[in-house]
Amino acid sequence: MRNRLRPGIALLITIIGLLAAGCAGSDNTASGGAASGGPGSTAPAGTQAPSAAVPSASAAAPSTPRAAAADTARCHTSQLSGRVRMLEPAAGNRYAALVLTNTSNRHCTTYGFVGMQLAGAKGNDLPTEVVRETRPAAVRVTLRPGQSAWTRIHWTVAAGSGESSTGQCEPTPSRLLVIPPDERTQLTAKWPGGSVCEHGKILTTALAAGAG
C-alpha cells in the first residue's frame, strides 16, 4: 500500500520551497552587481566596461595666443630711424654705436647685420667695405614702439695701402646709408666720425637690444 502525504504536510512543504526560491533570488541579485552596474561590479566576459566621458581637447584647455615673437613681423625700413653715436676712441681707432629705433606703433623683430654705405654731402657714394664680426652671435631682437637695437661699428683713421699718409686718407662722409636686415630700402643717419681709412673699411657686430 503506497504512502500518501496528508494534505497539511504537503501544503507546508510547498510553502517552504517557495520561500527558499525567493531567498535564492535575492542573494543572486545582491551578489550579481554586473547586472545592476553597481560599484565593484565586473563586466561579463567578452565585453568592455564603459569608461568615463573624456572632454575634447578644445574643452579641456582654452586656446592660447601664439608666442609674441613668432607672431611679430620683421622690422621694415619705414618703421625705423637711425643715428650714429660716437663711443670712446683708441689709438688710431674709432668706435660708434649705430642705433636703430622703432618709430612705428607696432612691435617688430630684427635679426642679424645691417648693410652700410658711406655717402658724401651731395649724396655720392664713398669707398665702403663692411666686415661682419662673428662675436657676439646674432640674436633675434623684438622692438616695441620706441625701443632700439644697436650695432657697434669700428674703423681706423690710420692710412692704409694706397692712401695718403700726409692728408686725408679718404673723403670725409657726411651721411651713412643703412639697410636693416632682410630689407631692400635704406634709411639715412648723419655721420659724425670723420674719414674712414683703409678704403672705407668698417667692422660691424650683429644687432643687439638697447642703444649701446
Side-chain angles (χ1 to χ4, degrees):
M1 184 162 101
R2 290 179 297 176
N3 293 330
R4 306 177 81 181
L5 295 176
R6 288 180 290 177
I9 295 175
L11 179 59
L12 180 61
I13 292 173
T14 300
I15 293 171
I16 292 172
L18 292 173
L19 291 174
C23 291
S26 299
D27 290 342
N28 288 339
T29 301
S31 62
S36 64
S41 63
T42 57
T47 65
Q48 183 175 357
S51 59
V54 178
S56 64
S58 60
S63 60
T64 56
R66 289 176 295 174
D71 200 31
T72 303
R74 183 180 80 244
C75 293
H76 298 295
T77 304
S78 60
Q79 295 175 275
L80 301 171
S81 66
R83 63 186 178 93
V84 178
R85 180 171 59 83
M86 298 298 295
L87 301 176
E88 190 70 23
N93 293 278
R94 299 293 182 267
Y95 302 89
L98 169 59
V99 182
L100 301 182
T101 301
N102 181 3
T103 57
S104 73
N105 59 2
R106 295 185 178 183
H107 291 52
C108 66
T109 63
T110 187
Y111 176 87
F113 297 84
V114 300
M116 290 182 285
Q117 173 66 54
L118 296 168
K122 296 181 180 180
N124 53 307
D125 290 347
L126 299 179
T128 307
E129 178 190 1
V130 178
V131 179
R132 296 177 176 181
E133 298 191 76
T134 59
R135 292 291 183 271
V139 296
R140 188 171 302 279
V141 181
T142 299
L143 299 180
R144 295 174 180 166
Q147 289 187 326
S148 301
W150 76 291
T151 171
R152 189 194 71 168
I153 56 177
H154 169 211
W155 67 98
T156 180
V157 292
S161 175
E163 295 177 328
S164 172
S165 57
T166 56
Q168 280 190 316
C169 60
E170 296 290 342
T172 302
S174 62
R175 295 185 296 172
L176 180 66
L177 309 180
V178 180
I179 301 178
D182 301 313
E183 289 294 290
R184 295 179 180 273
T185 56
Q186 62 195 25
L187 57 88
T188 302
K190 183 179 178 180
W191 179 257
S195 296
V196 180
C197 297
E198 293 191 357
H199 308 287
K201 182 177 179 180
I202 302 176
L203 281 68
T204 181
T205 57
L207 286 167

